[in-house]
């Protein structure tokens, strides 16, 4: 009998397991394919600020970014490489956003020096940029494994969740609380209202004679050269490919795309591709991450049938699955958001603080219910 069973051992599951175990809870972690085997294992895992205009998303991302830098550099320094970060706009729209961001950000940034400028292609040197003095990239698989150390791990594919007598049953395991951190995989519960999109991505690790002194974000992201002489390039954003359709992914085409995009930023000499990493990241329809309880759609529609016709009901009156929380929808910022989300999950489960309703996965429920008429 555990306090919490976490299903999905990506960065969200591992970071939640780490945070809850540190807070004294008895935690079990489950994954069908092993630790960091989904989107998290494929991630470039850059801890970079999101360049966005004012609003809730910007505020949450700003807070999450600051917390993540502090979290990884102090708790997992052996898996964290800190270097300056050069973000170059890749379109006129991004350039506009970037100039606005540059004007009002409190993050330290400066002009690039001639040495760095000399590495850039002529296309990259004319685009607008922001050069942050502090950026970071983490070893995605290393950090997930380190977080899961000492936690009971079960390599299982969860087919069904059963709740009876006040506890959840997952195979032979039992717990009071379930955390569902399954990324873009099939949802395990009838929660069609949770608007998630799985976006396929590809990253490669290469060796190159070119020494990369900082993090680059432009058409793709390029990591600094690690102490082992490795440079990571990622990621592509393929909204059409899904591993669940049985279609084969064209890896060679993906590699070509990554190298071609990287060559728009700088020239990489004598490239040798060492490894490919692919996976799905799951983004929410409104770009905000998800942390919260899940509405039992059938029970709620039975209780309030007029939700189908747009009747307004206070969300506190919906019927929720008991003691079940979802963390998801982090899109391309899963590693940035995970410490922020896990911290709030802990404060909620352990200290009884309330969760931010803006992040509730059930925020999509009323609009979905209206389409069920
Ligand atoms: C190529 C690429 C590059 C990226 N780069 C960055 C980056 O630079 N910075 C950043 O912050 N983010 C980045 N991301 C995004 C980030 O990786 C994701 O947001 C993050 O991995 C989401 O983590 P997760 O734990 O929610 O999901 P996942 O990592 O997908 O984990 C879900 C896990 O659940 C398991 N699971 C699902 N269903 C079941 C079941 N029924 N039973 C048992 N186990 C189950 C899966 O096996 C999987 O391991 C990138 C993503 C990709 C694909």
């Amino acid at each position: 009998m555990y306090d919490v069973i976490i299903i999905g051992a990506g960065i969200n599951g591992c970071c939640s397991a780490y945070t809850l175990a540190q807070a004294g809870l008895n935690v079990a972690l489950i994954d069908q394919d092993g630790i960091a085997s989904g989107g998290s294992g494929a991630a470039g895992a850059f801890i970079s600020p999101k360049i966005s205009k004012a609003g809730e998303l910007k505020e949450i991302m700003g807070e999450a970014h600051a917390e993540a830098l502090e979290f990884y550099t102090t708790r997992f320094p052996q898996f964290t490489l800190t270097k300056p970060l050069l973000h170059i706009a890749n379109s006129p729209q991004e350039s506009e956003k970037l100039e606005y961001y540059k004007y009002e950000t409190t993050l330290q940034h400066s002009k690039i020096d001639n040495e760095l400028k000399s590495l850039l292609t002529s296309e990259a040197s004319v685009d607008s940029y922001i050069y942050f003095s502090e950026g970071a990239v983490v070893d995605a698989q290393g950090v997930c494994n380190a977080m899961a150390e000492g936690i009971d791990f079960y390599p299982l594919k969860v087919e069904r969740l059963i709740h009876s007598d006040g506890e959840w049953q997952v195979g032979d395991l039992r717990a009071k609380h379930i955390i569902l951190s399954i990324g873009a995989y099939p949802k395990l519960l009838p929660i069609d209202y949770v608007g998630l999109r799985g976006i396929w991505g590809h990253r490669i690790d290469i060796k190159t004679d070119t020494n990369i002194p900082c993090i680059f974000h432009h058409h793709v992201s390029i990591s600094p050269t690690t102490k082992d002489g490795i440079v990571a390039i990622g990621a592509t954003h393929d909204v059409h490919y899904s591993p669940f359709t049985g279609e084969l992914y064209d890896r060679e085409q993906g590699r070509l795309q990554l190298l071609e995009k990287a060559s728009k930023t700088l020239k990489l000499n004598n490239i040798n591709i060492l490894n490919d990493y692919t996976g799905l990241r799951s983004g929410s329809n409104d770009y905000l991450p998800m942390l919260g309880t899940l509405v039992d759609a059938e029970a709620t529609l039975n209780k309030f049938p007029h939700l189908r016709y747009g009747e307004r009901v206070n969300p506190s009156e919906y019927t929720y699955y008991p003691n079940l929380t979802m963390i998801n929808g982090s899109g391309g910022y899963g590693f940035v958001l995970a410490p922020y989300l896990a911290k709030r999950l802990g404060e909620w489960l352990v200290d009884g603080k309330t969760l931010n309703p803006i992040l509730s996965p059930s925020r999509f429920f009323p609009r979905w219910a209206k389409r069920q008429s």
Side-chain angles (χ1 to χ4, degrees):
M1 179 73 184
Y2 287 95
D3 294 319
V4 180
I5 294 175
I6 299 175
I7 305 173
I11 185 63
N12 277 319
C14 291
C15 199
S16 300
Y18 171 81
T19 306
L20 297 179
Q22 292 264 311
L25 299 189
N26 187 16
V27 180
L29 183 60
I30 296 178
D31 201 293
Q32 60 196 6
D33 296 322
I35 288 166
S37 53
S40 300
F46 296 96
I47 308 304
S48 304
K50 186 169 170 67
I51 309 292
S52 52
K53 290 194 171 169
E56 272 155 1
L57 178 63
K58 180 167 189 287
E59 265 173 44
I60 287 169
M61 292 305 302
E63 229 177 300
H65 173 248
E67 288 182 18
L69 277 181
E70 161 82 18
F71 177 86
Y72 292 113
T73 51
T74 56
R75 311 269 183 116
F76 298 98
Q78 68 278 38
F79 297 107
T80 310
L81 179 62
T82 52
K83 289 280 177 185
L85 155 58
L86 177 59
H87 187 122
I88 306 171
N90 59 24
S91 67
Q93 292 88 322
E94 215 209 357
S95 171
E96 191 196 323
K97 240 195 297 185
L98 199 143
E99 289 305 323
Y100 175 82
Y101 185 90
K102 204 152 76 176
Y103 173 72
E104 58 80 58
T105 184
T106 54
L107 294 175
Q108 229 181 35
H109 60 98
S110 62
K111 284 200 179 327
I112 57 172
D113 60 25
N114 285 338
E115 201 183 333
L116 185 51
K117 209 180 243 173
S118 70
L119 279 181
L120 299 177
T121 60
S122 47
E123 177 193 331
S125 7
V126 293
D127 288 330
S128 59
Y129 71 82
I130 183 164
Y131 184 52
F132 297 104
S133 52
E134 197 184 15
V137 54
V138 298
D139 167 348
Q141 282 167 333
V143 87
C144 286
N145 275 299
M147 285 172 175
E149 216 175 288
I151 310 274
D152 290 352
F153 176 73
Y154 298 90
L156 297 173
K157 179 175 169 69
V158 177
E159 309 276 0
R160 244 162 34 109
L161 293 172
I162 300 167
H163 189 258
S164 81
D165 296 333
E167 60 187 41
W168 286 99
Q169 291 170 15
V170 182
D172 293 337
L173 306 176
R174 289 176 300 139
K176 177 152 187 279
H177 209 112
I178 292 278
I179 311 289
L180 213 48
S181 50
I182 53 173
Y185 292 75
K187 288 177 186 145
L188 289 174
L189 290 168
I191 47 172
D192 290 348
Y193 58 85
V194 176
L196 284 170
R197 282 168 296 124
I199 299 173
W200 184 250
H202 185 169
R203 166 193 132 214
I204 49 176
D205 282 359
I206 63 163
K207 284 245 177 187
T208 164
D209 290 349
T210 312
N211 182 53
I212 314 287
C214 68
I215 298 165
F216 289 92
H217 294 317
H218 189 199
H219 294 282
V220 280
S221 301
I222 305 170
S223 80
T225 310
T226 65
K227 61 179 181 337
D228 303 321
I230 293 170
V231 171
I233 304 177
T236 45
H237 301 70
D238 190 339
V239 289
H240 303 295
Y241 177 77
S242 164
F244 303 125
T245 58
E247 183 196 347
L248 278 182
Y249 173 64
D250 189 341
R251 198 184 67 167
E252 286 308 317
Q253 186 59 31
R255 286 178 165 190
L256 280 175
Q257 241 187 62
L258 283 166
L259 292 175
E260 191 208 314
K261 287 184 175 188
S263 72
K264 292 183 180 180
T265 310
L266 41 75
K267 184 159 166 22
L268 297 166
N269 296 315
N270 286 333
I271 295 168
N272 179 15
I273 299 178
L274 303 176
N275 260 317
D276 296 81
Y277 302 87
T278 50
L280 280 172
R281 48 188 173 270
S282 73
S284 72
N285 290 346
D286 59 7
Y287 303 105
L288 281 163
M290 298 179 192
L291 168 64
T293 50
L294 290 167
V295 169
D296 179 333
E298 190 184 343
T300 304
L301 281 176
N302 283 342
K303 193 169 163 192
F304 300 109
H306 286 90
L307 275 166
R308 293 187 175 88
Y309 306 102
E311 182 191 24
R312 281 174 184 241
V313 173
N314 188 324
S316 66
E317 294 190 57
Y318 298 159
T319 302
Y320 292 87
Y321 290 100
N323 299 325
L324 187 142
T325 311
M326 173 177 260
I327 302 192
N328 212 322
S330 304
Y333 288 84
F335 281 78
V336 178
L337 281 158
Y340 173 95
L341 297 173
K343 182 175 173 209
R344 276 127 192 106
L345 173 71
E347 288 171 349
W348 179 56
L349 286 184
V350 180
D351 308 326
K353 286 196 185 171
T354 48
L355 290 175
N356 185 348
I358 287 169
L359 300 183
S360 169
S362 299
R363 64 188 183 263
F364 303 106
F365 175 69
R367 186 177 284 189
W368 173 88
K370 216 172 142 183
R371 292 200 304 266
Q372 306 310 305
S373 56

